Amino acid sequence: MNIYVNVNAPMQGIGTEDRPFKHIDDAARVAKPGDTVWVAPGIYREYVNPRNAGREDARIEYRSTEPLGARITGAEILTGWEKYQGTTWVAKVDNGVFNGYNPYALPVAGDWYFYPKDPATGKILDMYRGAVYMNDQMFYEAFTLEECLKGEVFAPSWQPELSIYKWYAEVGEKETVIYANFHDHDPNKECVEINVRNKCFMPDQKYIGYITLSGFKVDKAATNWAPPAAYQDGMIGSHWSKGWIIEDCDISNSRCCGISFGNYHQTEKENDNYFSNKHVKSPTQMERDAVCIAQYDGWTKETVGSHTVRRCHIHDCGQAGIVGRMGCVFSVIEDNHIHNINNSQQLTGAEMGGIKFHAAIDVIFRRNHIHHCTMGIWTDWQAQGTRFTQNLMHDNFPPKFVPPSPMRMSQDIFVEVGHGPTLIDNNILLSEASVRWATQGVAVVHNLIAGAFTAVGAGTDMVTSKGASQRRYTPYHIPHRTEVAGFMTILHGDNRVYNNIFIQNAPFDLNPKASESMGFNAVENDRCGNFVWDEYPTYEEWIKKFRIGERADMMTMIELMDYHFEHLPVWIDGNAYFNGAKPWNREQNKLVDESGKVTVELEEKDGALRLKTNVYELLKDFRAGIITSDILGKAFEPEERYENPDGTAIIFNEDYFGDHRGLGTLPGPFVQPDELDRILWKK
């Protein structure tokens, strides 16, 4: 059945084409499996709560009749601004409009959120879930009215020219007073909006699956921080269900997260932000508990996940573009443009980035363009069967003018404390740091890599102030399932690096730097190449220690104990290195060019991006072999092959564009050098 909605209809109707509903949520009350809700162009200032689930063979679809013509927003227009002082204006809002959820009274809060502190007193300073927007630009929150009046640059911001626009709120019993520094603008002549709702499109119940949201603009929700061991808020969210499709949408200006495929409320087990609320157990322990509790509660491939986000434009959100914890399993994230995420740096913590997924089991990130994000894609824990393929990623690194901070550890891809198999193939990675390796069981095949590998061999275990090690035992799973097969700490290694082009595209320091970001000791590095694995064994060196074939008794177990906790082997071959990028010291088939100067940059023209580089002139006749699942083998802990989610083998004979590789293949993501003339991405 077709259900019709038109906010501009002369009066409320019954959902027919000639008498449409005025509100999408009215359609959501009655939509049943197989129904399509057709939404006419207009601004829908409402929270849409899908009450009913579709079925795999009969989805419930919400479609904008014109691409991006229908806008669902968590904001209301605020008028009646009065001059207060200098370029700061003031307006008053009746608290009734917030319907019990006043985002200017509710602080951003949750595990792994790093609260700002007063530098003089050390006292925690709260940021709030509300925001002020002028012409779709989110203002920066001020801690005091005086700071708002000054309207000065916020030094950590990646966009300092925008950070001078400030807001500050005072919440009373009946009204909220909002001050905002508009500088040269008159707010009564501009479109000024404020957050009043915390969601735009998300069911309030679990298991509302098989929903399609297509062609909408969605913006400006007062979302809260989304931690991994708690309910994860989002402007759009599936709320622990299966089979959502979000396509062809423009998603922006969430206070925290744009889309959530996240965790559900585990309050009945008292594990919702346990650390923040009780303090007595570590947040890492609570993440392990969250996985086990979900197992008891029926977290399976049949009940949760398998979502699709495709062809969406996701931008200008405070924490993450897409966030997920367990509810994101078996999903496909493809053909999206994600940028300017967490650029304000007002909200910091351990859950930020263009995409931040915990437990990205069999998740495919494919053909996305991700740039100018604090992190490009961050897969934390359980990146098992995860694949990053044919993505273009660049400028996911702080600008030079931003001062150092504890969270200055940006990169294109961060894989953290997983056991693999994690596959990174046919990508173009141009940020100063390409991959952060606080993990094991990763294969990197046929990429163009212009940045460094960081946190190799470290960044996985916390060390207390008294020197005690808090080892992070993280789960691995039955292949292509959610059921837990075991827990283990990270040994490091068990990695494969084949047929990549490494280009040192930024200055480097010959001395790696130790850091303690978030308390996890790591070694930072800004030199490109595979030399970071020089101390790791080959498979032959590693396996001979275990005396395979001999009878083993208890004494053998004791004798082999040290070897069971040493680094795992690595396999590295067929890579090319330029501009000082450095190879692995035991790599056999390689090209190291120390004579020519390679340039690599993106060129944008008329919204189209092309790659400009002379690297193929220096590759000359260097060739490598075709890589397959059989060559990559199995990740050590889960004993799972590098393969497709359906268990079939991968032959890496397709490049960034999907073109076929021949018998003798070039390293890097392109079949032929002449592919450089082709468009990598077009807006």
Side-chain angles (χ1 to χ4, degrees):
M1 184 175 75
N2 291 319
I3 302 170
Y4 296 90
V5 182
N6 189 341
V7 70
N8 297 310
M11 61 184 299
Q12 175 68 303
I14 57 174
T16 60
E17 190 169 10
D18 59 336
R19 294 182 61 194
F21 290 126
K22 287 180 71 71
H23 308 291
I24 305 170
D25 194 53
D26 290 326
R29 293 176 187 273
V30 300
K32 297 293 192 295
D35 289 350
T36 299
V37 177
W38 295 100
V39 183
I43 300 175
Y44 296 83
R45 298 187 185 275
E46 59 176 305
Y47 160 49
V48 181
N49 177 17
R51 273 76 163 180
N52 302 310
R55 300 193 310 265
E56 187 171 8
D57 63 342
R59 308 181 63 82
I60 298 177
E61 301 186 354
Y62 295 79
R63 294 188 173 275
S64 173
T65 59
E66 293 183 9
L68 305 182
R71 172 188 168 207
I72 307 172
T73 180
E76 297 285 348
I77 292 176
L78 182 57
T79 58
W81 290 90
E82 297 179 356
K83 272 273 193 177
Y84 178 73
Q85 184 177 320
T87 57
T88 297
W89 299 62
V90 63
K92 297 179 180 179
V93 182
D94 188 289
N95 288 342
V97 75
F98 300 120
N99 194 29
Y101 183 94
N102 187 339
Y104 303 92
L106 293 168
V108 174
D111 289 352
W112 296 106
Y113 169 58
F114 295 170
Y115 294 87
K117 295 183 178 180
D118 186 321
T121 65
K123 181 182 177 181
I124 284 178
L125 300 172
D126 281 323
M127 308 290 292
Y128 290 88
R129 303 177 198 179
V132 174
Y133 305 85
M134 180 178 67
N135 304 329
D136 294 330
Q137 175 193 326
M138 184 189 294
F139 280 25
Y140 283 56
E141 183 177 355
F143 290 118
T144 64
L145 179 55
E146 180 183 9
E147 182 186 341
C148 182
L149 293 169
K150 289 180 179 178
E152 296 176 342
V153 167
F154 181 59
S157 172
W158 290 24
Q159 299 168 304
E161 70 281 3
L162 302 181
S163 71
I164 61 173
Y165 296 93
K166 311 281 189 181
W167 69 268
Y168 174 75
E170 295 174 343
V171 179
E173 184 178 345
K174 294 183 178 181
E175 64 182 13
T176 296
V177 181
I178 298 179
Y179 303 86
N181 193 329
F182 292 93
H183 289 273
D184 296 333
H185 299 273
D186 180 344
N188 294 313
K189 296 179 180 178
E190 310 289 347
C191 180
V192 179
E193 296 173 288
I194 63 168
N195 295 122
V196 299
R197 289 172 288 277
N198 67 317
K199 298 179 181 67
C200 291
F201 191 96
M202 178 187 280
D204 64 3
Q205 300 296 315
K206 296 183 290 184
Y207 304 117
I208 307 297
Y210 297 106
I211 301 290
T212 296
L213 184 71
S214 181
F216 289 84
K217 291 190 71 173
V218 183
D219 64 18
K220 303 183 181 71
T223 49
N224 189 25
W225 186 257
Y231 170 75
Q232 290 191 312
D233 214 353
M235 205 157 50
I236 303 169
S238 59
H239 195 173
W240 202 250
S241 65
K242 185 174 180 179
W244 276 49
I245 296 174
I246 302 170
E247 62 183 13
D248 301 308
C249 291
D250 188 293
I251 299 161
S252 69
N253 282 303
S254 174
R255 181 63 162 133
C256 290
C257 297
I259 298 173
S260 171
F261 294 138
N263 200 2
Y264 61 103
H265 283 290
Q266 294 185 335
T267 49
E268 66 276 13
K269 306 294 194 303
E270 297 186 344
N271 193 43
D272 211 68
N273 283 312
Y274 184 106
F275 172 77
S276 294
N277 294 324
K278 295 189 175 181
H279 309 319
V280 295
K281 295 181 182 178
S282 77
T284 293
Q285 182 175 345
M286 293 305 93
E287 291 181 42
R288 279 189 291 269
D289 288 358
V291 174
C292 293
I293 290 168
Q295 299 264 295
Y296 308 146
D297 288 345
W299 174 46
T300 68
K301 188 173 187 177
E302 288 71 33
T303 57
V304 173
S306 298
H307 306 299
T308 300
V309 181
R310 60 193 178 204
R311 302 185 302 273
C312 289
H313 182 200
I314 304 170
H315 56 104
D316 295 289
C317 296
Q319 179 189 341
I322 313 175
V323 73
R325 173 59 152 132
M326 296 187 291
C328 59
V329 291
F330 313 113
S331 295
V332 177
I333 314 298
E334 62 183 0
D335 299 305
N336 302 288
H337 184 196
I338 303 175
H339 63 96
N340 294 96
I341 303 296
N342 193 235
N343 282 183
S344 76
Q345 289 288 290
Q346 287 214 292
L347 303 178
T348 61
E351 310 303 322
M352 308 174 309
I355 302 172
K356 176 64 194 287
F357 278 2
H358 278 76
I361 298 171
D362 280 4
V363 171
I364 297 174
F365 303 100
R366 179 168 56 209
R367 297 188 303 269
N368 300 287
H369 179 205
I370 303 177
H371 60 98
H372 292 92
C373 298
T374 307
M375 312 269 185
I377 304 176
W378 184 355
T379 55
D380 201 348
W381 293 48
Q382 303 149 277
Q384 183 170 330
T386 309
R387 187 176 183 184
F388 308 79
T389 184
Q390 299 169 314
N391 300 286
L392 171 61
M393 306 177 75
H394 60 94
D395 292 290
N396 298 304
F397 208 78
K400 299 300 183 186
F401 56 76
V402 173
S405 72
M407 284 300 294
R408 192 186 173 100
M409 52 178 213
S410 301
Q411 59 281 307
D412 288 329
I413 296 172
F414 184 5
V415 186
E416 184 175 8
V417 287
H419 300 284
T422 305
L423 178 58
I424 302 172
D425 71 281
N426 289 297
N427 302 283
I428 300 171
L429 307 176
L430 301 180
S431 297
E432 289 190 25
S434 292
V435 182
R436 189 173 183 86
W437 292 78
T439 193
Q440 65 186 49
V442 179
V444 179
V445 182
H446 275 296
N447 301 279
L448 175 61
I449 298 171
F453 290 164
T454 67
V456 170
T460 58
D461 300 321
M462 270 190 172
V463 179
T464 71
S465 60
K466 295 183 179 180
S469 176
Q470 182 190 112
R471 306 297 295 274
R472 282 205 284 180
Y473 284 85
T474 53
Y476 51 94
H477 300 261
I478 305 279
H480 312 300
R481 300 288 305 177
T482 59
E483 290 83 357
V484 172
F487 288 81
M488 185 54 188
T489 188
I490 304 301
L491 301 176
H492 301 282
D494 191 31
N495 300 313
R496 292 91 170 139
V497 188
Y498 288 109
N499 296 10
N500 302 280
I501 295 175
F502 292 89
I503 303 172
Q504 182 72 45
N505 204 36
F508 63 86
D509 188 339
L510 290 173
N511 300 305
K513 299 166 282 297
S515 71
E516 294 187 0
S517 299
M518 299 183 293
F520 300 106
N521 290 334
V523 177
E524 301 305 320
N525 166 54
D526 50 21
R527 187 168 188 176
C528 188
N530 282 314
F531 70 99
V532 289
W533 312 107
D534 281 356
E535 303 303 317
Y536 284 69
T538 64
Y539 176 78
E540 291 73 20
E541 292 167 338
W542 174 79
I543 195 65
K544 70 180 181 182
K545 299 175 183 178
F546 296 98
R547 294 150 40 188
I548 304 298
E550 295 183 17
R551 291 189 63 180
D553 58 13
M554 186 172 179
M555 287 306 298
T556 312
M557 180 181 68
I558 295 171
E559 291 166 2
L560 297 182
M561 187 177 297
D562 286 346
Y563 303 144
H564 286 139
F565 293 90
E566 290 183 348
H567 290 336
L568 297 168
V570 297
W571 294 259
I572 299 174
D573 195 58
N575 301 287
Y577 304 86
F578 301 92
N579 289 3
K582 192 174 177 183
W584 185 44
N585 58 7
R586 276 159 288 176
E587 186 171 359
Q588 298 299 310
N589 180 38
K590 63 182 182 293
L591 172 67
V592 181
D593 186 290
E594 298 178 343
S595 59
K597 171 63 177 175
V598 170
T599 58
V600 57
E601 61 181 345
L602 285 176
E603 180 183 80
E604 181 175 354
K605 184 177 181 181
D606 299 327
L609 287 173
R610 290 179 171 85
L611 189 68
K612 296 297 180 183
T613 179
N614 62 337
V615 69
Y616 287 95
E617 298 172 15
L618 299 174
L619 272 176
K620 298 179 181 177
D621 296 327
F622 181 71
R623 296 293 183 270
I626 294 289
I627 304 300
T628 67
S629 290
D630 288 341
I631 291 173
L632 296 180
K634 294 181 178 181
F636 177 72
E637 294 294 356
E639 300 186 34
E640 178 182 338
R641 277 204 317 170
Y642 291 83
E643 61 189 11
N644 289 309
D646 63 1
T648 58
I650 301 173
I651 302 175
F652 294 88
N653 59 0
E654 292 184 4
D655 72 353
Y656 176 89
F657 295 107
D659 291 343
H660 182 74
R661 289 189 168 97
L663 298 176
T665 182
L666 287 168
F670 303 124
V671 167
Q672 297 290 343
D674 58 14
E675 289 190 317
L676 292 177
D677 294 330
R678 293 166 63 176
I679 295 171
L680 302 178
W681 182 272
K682 187 171 178 62
K683 294 181 181 178

